Amino acid sequence: MAVVRALVAPRLAAAASTFAPLPGLRPLLPRGPASSPRAAFHASAPRPGARVALVLSGCGVYDGTELHEASAVLVHLSRGGAEVQIFAPNIPQMHVIDHTKGQPAESETRNVLTESARIARGKITDLAQLSAANHDAAIFPGGFGAAKNLSTFAVDGKDCKVNKDVERVLKDFHKAGKPIGLCCIAPVLAAKVLHGVEVTVGHEQEEGGKWPYAGTAEAIKAMGAKHCVKGVTISFQQLGTARAHVDQKNKVVSTPAFMCETALHHIHDGIGAMVTKVLELAQK
C-alpha cells in the first residue's frame, strides 16, 4: 500500500492543480436577480447583434413556461448572434401543478420570477424593469404560464385580463415599431392588447386530436384579432415562414409550437422560423 500511495499521490496533486481555480476567477456560485440590465445579458456571440428581451412565465408547461420552447428560442437567438436578457414578473403563480399527475398541488405556492430563474440559470430580471428603449425586440414563449400567470386567459378566455407589466411591454414595443415574437398560447396576449393584430396558434379544427387547443383561434377572433392558419410540419418546398406568421404591419411574429401534437424537432424548427423573422425585423 505504501508503494501505491507513493505512485498515486503525485498524480492526485497534479490533477488538483490542473482543476484549481485560475487566478482572478471567482468560484461558480448561484446568483440572485441581476442588478443591472447590461450585467443580465446572456452573451450569445462575439459579434454585436440585436438586443432581445425574453419574457418567461415560470418553469414547467402546466403552470409556467414550456421549457422546450424557451430553450429553442435561446438556441436560435444564440445562432442569430443576439444578446438576450431574460425577464419575468415578480408575482405569485396562479397555482402549482404536480407535473407527474397533472393535478394542482394544493399546499404549494411559487413565485413566477423565482421559478423562471431556473431556466435563466440565475440571470433573471424583474419584468417591471423592462424598457423597450433598451431592447430591439421581445419574445414570449408559450406554456400554460402565459395563460395563467401573464394573463387570466386559462380561466376567462376572451374576457381575460393581461398582467399590467406584460400589457405595458407589448404596447411599448409596438408603439416603438420593434418586433414581438410569440409561441404556442402566448399569441393570445397580443390578441388582447394589440387590437387588430394578426397571429397564429395553428389550425382551427382539432383534426382528430392533432390540434387539441384549436378552440383558442375562436377566442382570438372574439378579442378583435385576426387568426391566420399555419402548420408545424411542412415539406421541404414550404421552408421559410410556413411555420410562422408575420404581421408585417404590426411587426408581430407567431408560431404554433406545442399547440400541435407533433415531434419535438418540428416544434424547434417552427420556433426557429419565428426567431429568424423577429431578428430580421429588428434590423429594419
Side-chain angles (χ1 to χ4, degrees):
M1 288 300 295
V3 174
V4 173
R5 284 196 295 269
L7 290 173
V8 172
R11 297 185 183 185
L12 292 177
S17 63
T18 300
F19 293 102
L22 295 175
L25 291 183
R26 293 177 293 177
L28 182 62
L29 296 172
R31 291 177 290 179
S35 57
S36 68
R38 295 300 296 181
F41 276 106
H42 290 242
S44 301
R47 65 186 185 281
R51 297 169 299 169
V52 180
L54 181 63
V55 182
L56 303 183
S57 60
C59 182
V61 57
Y62 298 130
D63 57 13
T65 304
E66 212 300 321
L67 275 78
H68 297 290
E69 292 183 14
S71 179
V73 170
L74 287 166
V75 167
H76 288 294
L77 286 173
S78 176
R79 190 167 283 146
E83 288 184 278
V84 184
Q85 189 175 4
I86 304 179
F87 296 85
N90 187 9
I91 57 174
Q93 290 186 185
M94 173 185 154
H95 59 187
V96 177
I97 296 294
D98 180 340
H99 280 57
T100 66
K101 300 175 182 177
Q103 298 294 327
E106 300 295 347
S107 61
E108 286 193 51
T109 59
R110 297 190 184 184
N111 178 277
V112 175
L113 179 65
T114 302
E115 291 300 297
S116 298
R118 295 175 181 273
I119 300 173
R121 296 173 60 86
K123 295 181 180 180
I124 194 81
T125 305
D126 190 333
L127 185 62
Q129 299 180 35
L130 173 52
S131 170
N134 297 327
H135 299 82
D136 302 308
I139 293 180
F140 293 76
F144 279 96
K148 294 179 177 180
N149 304 326
L150 303 188
S151 72
T152 64
F153 183 81
V155 175
D156 300 322
K158 65 180 179 62
D159 299 316
C160 68
K161 293 181 175 60
V162 175
N163 172 274
K164 61 181 179 61
D165 279 317
V166 173
E167 181 175 2
R168 173 185 59 80
V169 166
L170 288 168
K171 287 181 175 179
D172 287 353
F173 273 82
H174 182 255
K175 183 177 180 180
K178 296 182 176 182
I180 299 166
L182 307 120
C183 301
C184 195
I185 193 69
V188 302
L189 303 172
K192 185 66 177 181
V193 173
L194 307 176
H195 185 74
V197 70
E198 297 177 4
V199 295
T200 188
V201 289
H203 288 201
E204 298 181 356
Q205 302 296 324
E206 291 192 12
E207 300 175 19
K210 183 178 180 181
W211 296 90
Y213 311 106
T216 305
E218 292 305 313
I220 284 172
K221 295 175 187 177
M223 289 189 282
K226 179 180 179 181
H227 182 259
C228 302
V229 174
K230 288 285 181 177
V232 174
T233 57
I234 59 173
S235 67
F236 180 78
Q237 289 77 18
Q238 294 174 303
L239 293 176
T241 60
R243 289 171 163 144
H245 179 73
V246 184
D247 180 343
Q248 295 284 357
K249 177 182 177 181
N250 292 296
K251 290 191 175 182
V252 172
V253 189
S254 50
T255 188
F258 279 106
M259 297 298 275
C260 181
E261 291 288 340
T262 188
L264 179 59
H265 67 280
H266 293 306
I267 307 296
H268 183 90
D269 292 346
I271 290 172
M274 180 271 290
V275 170
T276 296
K277 295 307 296 185
V278 167
L279 293 179
E280 287 178 6
L281 289 171
Q283 301 302 320
K284 293 182 179 179

